[in-house]
Amino acid sequence: MDVIFGRNKKEQVEPVRAKVRGEVYYRSKYLRSDTYNANIEANRIVVSEFGTMAYPDPCKNIFSKAFSYLSHTIPDFTDNCLINIIKCGRDFYATTETNYIRKIDPQTLETLEKVDYRKYVAINLATAHPHYDSAGNVLNMGTSIVDKGKTKYVIFKIPAAVPDRTKEKSPLKHTEVLCSIHSRSLLSPSYYHSFGITENYIVFLEQPFKLDILKLATAYIRGVNWASCLTFHKEEKTHIHVVDRRTGKPVSTKFYTDPMVVFHHVNAYEEDGCLLFDAIAYEDSSLYQCFYLAHLKNNSEENSVVTCVSALKRFAVPLCVDKNAEVGSDLVKLASTTARALKEKDDQVYCQPELLCEGLELPQINYAHNGKRYRYVFAAEIQRSPIPNKMIKYDILTKSSLKWEEEHYWPAEPLFVPTPGAKDEDDGIILSAIISSDPQKPPFLLVLDAKSFTELARAYVDVDMHLDLHGLFIPDADLDLSKRAPPQDAQDGASEPCVASQT
């Protein structure tokens, strides 16, 4: 694993033709964030990250050091946007979980302007996994820490287009707050990585994996990283918040489930008066420990640090609760799931999930079915290692699965690309960038038939490719790659599909 995690990879600034019939090009480039530039200039880590805390230069005098400590009391988070690529209007942004996003050119991967969410909505943290409605509006949520004496979870919308009556071209300046949910704790808000939406509702899990604000404020002085300020409280509940998108108000019933940690929601939809949502759940937060570099470099099946297995679980939340229902009665009357919602005293409802499958992560769906009834999940399969070496197509209806794997190869997050005009949910292809722990085996783009999960093609590239989890980006129909001049050795008149990876 040292081959994968032990060394930085080189940039591939110019497109390199893959060895495949047709035309496929690979390009990668480090995001030129302020963080990156500062670290390069100093030739050391000078900007603190989630798992790495930077400290004052030992050559500084005592007054400079003291100022550095004080300036980190309320940290200005990194703009090292390394998790995902999102689209706002016609622009593309690299994102992380702080208040910063960085605009990029999807053709050249050039780093453009730095955007601070705080200029448009009062949040300190935001997810890197927004949703898009049918009109192309961006729906996201973030945490507002101790704003006017309150800590809140803020759900906001960035419009797909700017109104004609305004001269302002950026949709970000028209960001609208849809709803705010007060945190159950002023100084310990829940950590969350994603959320779910349906046609009429938003579902958010306030889980007992919490960020301690007091620890965060003193982390720099104490010489610990920000990750150490996150604590899983196994004795607490996971609270399920449901917000009506039409009114912007939370559903009044108090729903909860067992303590758990969820990073990725898969999908959610409404059925016969219930909101069903599927998520990848863990019994504790130990997965985070797996991603320290020391663990990754030494990780193997014989020496694994994974202590809990991921589980794809389905929850059913009744949208209208009969106040006259008996305590202990199941409020879910659906034949499609064994998930239950048990009424308790004080009008609380305990949601007991249905276990669908174990060992999945990085789930993807046909996004045309987002917020709607669906059948297929495309994901990475993880077992003892946190790094996937298999891909899986899971059929929720039949509880069956198809898999792709090859010895010594490691797939990135699978991406579903539908066939134009497709009618079936799984009519399309799966794309994944594959690297090998064997230095003699070059990386390649894998193309699978999404229906049969069988290989259609692979495009080898002779480059030093890094392992992507999130962040692999496929241009959509609005991005006309034909306007970009192909490399010198490209065939005349040939089309030029592109896989671009932003680190």
Side-chain angles (χ1 to χ4, degrees):
M1 299 300 287
D2 183 64
V3 174
I4 297 177
F5 296 106
R7 300 195 301 263
N8 289 330
K9 301 300 182 183
K10 297 179 181 178
E11 295 180 323
Q12 185 62 46
V13 178
E14 296 301 322
V16 174
R17 181 186 289 188
K19 299 174 183 177
V20 67
R21 291 182 180 177
E23 293 260 296
V24 175
Y25 291 90
Y26 171 83
R27 168 180 278 166
S28 67
K29 191 172 186 179
Y30 284 110
L31 185 77
R32 260 56 175 187
S33 61
D34 292 352
T35 295
Y36 174 92
N37 292 331
N39 290 341
I40 291 297
E41 182 178 356
N43 197 29
R44 67 185 185 93
I45 301 299
V46 295
V47 180
S48 297
E49 298 284 350
F50 182 77
T52 304
M53 185 60 72
Y55 303 107
D57 189 328
C59 297
K60 286 184 176 181
N61 61 41
I62 189 171
F63 298 105
S64 297
K65 289 183 180 180
F67 180 79
S68 295
Y69 284 123
L70 290 173
S71 66
H72 278 72
T73 301
I74 301 176
D76 185 22
F77 292 113
T78 178
D79 69 334
N80 186 21
C81 301
L82 47 68
I83 295 180
N84 200 8
I85 304 292
I86 67 171
K87 185 180 181 185
C88 291
R90 296 186 62 83
D91 297 325
F92 294 87
Y93 295 87
T95 68
T96 183
E97 295 186 320
T98 71
N99 52 290
Y100 293 118
I101 58 177
R102 293 299 305 237
K103 186 177 178 180
I104 62 169
D105 185 318
Q107 294 177 333
T108 65
L109 302 186
E110 180 185 357
T111 303
L112 305 175
E113 60 258 36
K114 176 180 176 179
V115 174
D116 187 347
Y117 272 137
R118 293 177 298 183
K119 292 183 178 180
Y120 313 109
V121 59
I123 56 172
N124 304 94
L125 305 166
T127 86
H129 290 294
H131 285 280
Y132 306 89
D133 63 18
S134 58
N137 301 310
V138 179
L139 301 176
N140 204 356
M141 66 181 299
T143 301
S144 178
I145 300 174
V146 196
D147 179 40
K148 298 179 181 178
K150 297 178 181 179
T151 295
K152 299 175 291 185
Y153 310 109
V154 180
I155 300 170
F156 59 95
K157 179 176 76 173
I158 304 172
V162 175
D164 293 335
R165 63 181 182 273
T166 181
K167 295 181 180 180
E168 177 51 57
K169 296 182 179 180
S170 173
L172 284 159
K173 293 196 174 183
H174 297 272
T175 299
E176 174 189 358
V177 173
L178 300 180
C179 178
S180 294
I181 302 170
H182 288 167
S183 170
R184 299 180 68 86
S185 172
L186 176 67
L187 297 177
S188 297
S190 173
Y191 170 81
Y192 53 97
H193 189 73
S194 62
F195 60 101
I197 66 169
T198 69
E199 181 180 357
N200 298 303
Y201 296 93
I202 293 172
V203 58
F204 160 61
L205 299 176
E206 189 176 14
Q207 53 196 8
F209 189 30
K210 298 182 178 182
L211 176 63
D212 189 313
I213 302 303
L214 293 179
K215 287 184 178 180
L216 180 69
T218 60
Y220 192 72
I221 297 174
R222 294 183 294 115
V224 299
N225 60 32
W226 292 332
S228 67
C229 304
L230 284 167
T231 304
F232 179 68
H233 300 267
K234 61 181 180 181
E235 72 284 356
E236 297 184 12
K237 304 173 181 177
T238 298
H239 297 274
I240 304 172
H241 298 281
V242 178
V243 175
D244 192 320
R245 292 176 57 184
R246 297 160 296 187
T247 65
K249 296 181 179 179
V251 173
S252 59
T253 305
K254 306 299 182 184
F255 301 103
Y256 78 94
T257 190
D258 298 321
M260 63 181 184
V261 173
V262 168
F263 301 107
H264 297 113
H265 284 250
V266 181
N267 199 8
Y269 63 94
E270 300 163 39
E271 180 182 342
D272 295 336
C274 285
L275 185 155
L276 282 73
F277 68 92
D278 300 340
I280 308 292
Y282 297 82
E283 293 183 353
D284 57 39
S285 61
S286 61
L287 179 68
Y288 253 109
Q289 304 304 313
C290 301
F291 286 95
Y292 280 99
L293 187 59
H295 290 158
L296 289 172
K297 291 171 67 174
N298 296 323
N299 191 37
S300 66
E301 291 189 1
E302 293 77 23
N303 183 29
S304 177
V305 293
V306 175
T307 59
C308 68
V309 178
S310 63
L312 173 57
K313 294 184 177 182
R314 169 161 291 181
F315 295 82
V317 176
L319 295 169
C320 295
V321 175
D322 182 1
K323 295 186 178 296
N324 297 319
E326 294 184 3
V327 172
S329 62
D330 185 3
L331 303 176
V332 177
K333 310 298 181 184
L334 301 177
S336 61
T337 182
T338 59
R340 302 197 299 167
L342 305 177
K343 185 176 180 183
E344 296 187 345
K345 296 179 180 179
D346 303 323
D347 292 327
Q348 292 195 85
V349 176
Y350 166 65
C351 296
Q352 185 180 73
E354 174 187 3
L355 175 61
L356 297 176
C357 183
E358 291 186 330
L360 302 187
E361 250 304 353
L362 304 175
Q364 290 281 330
I365 64 170
N366 180 338
Y367 203 76
H369 290 256
N370 189 53
K372 304 173 184 177
R373 188 192 299 266
Y374 76 118
R375 180 172 177 176
Y376 301 108
V377 181
F378 305 99
E381 184 178 70
I382 57 174
Q383 296 296 332
R384 294 176 59 85
S385 168
I387 307 302
N389 61 356
K390 302 175 185 177
M391 286 188 293
I392 184 171
K393 174 187 179 182
Y394 181 72
D395 187 331
I396 293 174
L397 182 63
T398 65
K399 306 297 190 295
S400 61
S401 62
L402 299 172
K403 298 181 182 181
W404 178 93
E405 64 177 306
E406 191 166 323
E407 190 175 8
H408 302 303
Y409 280 112
W410 307 82
E413 180 177 29
L415 293 173
F416 175 81
V417 181
T419 300
K423 295 183 179 179
D424 295 337
E425 182 182 341
D426 60 348
D427 186 358
I429 61 172
I430 296 296
L431 299 178
S432 181
I434 313 293
I435 70 165
S436 177
S437 52
D438 183 346
Q440 302 303 315
K441 295 183 177 181
F444 60 91
L445 172 69
L446 176 68
V447 185
L448 300 178
D449 181 288
K451 279 185 175 290
S452 63
F453 228 56
T454 55
E455 184 172 330
L456 296 175
R458 58 177 66 184
Y460 289 97
V461 284
D462 187 17
V463 299
D464 191 17
M465 187 185 295
H466 60 274
L467 176 65
D468 271 314
L469 294 178
H470 286 318
L472 191 67
F473 158 58
I474 304 300
D476 68 356
D478 293 336
L479 182 61
D480 188 358
L481 290 173
S482 65
K483 295 179 180 179
R484 178 164 61 85
Q488 295 284 328
D489 58 346
Q491 298 177 7
D492 291 339
S495 61
E496 190 186 9
C498 167
V499 177
S501 174
Q502 181 79 19
T503 304

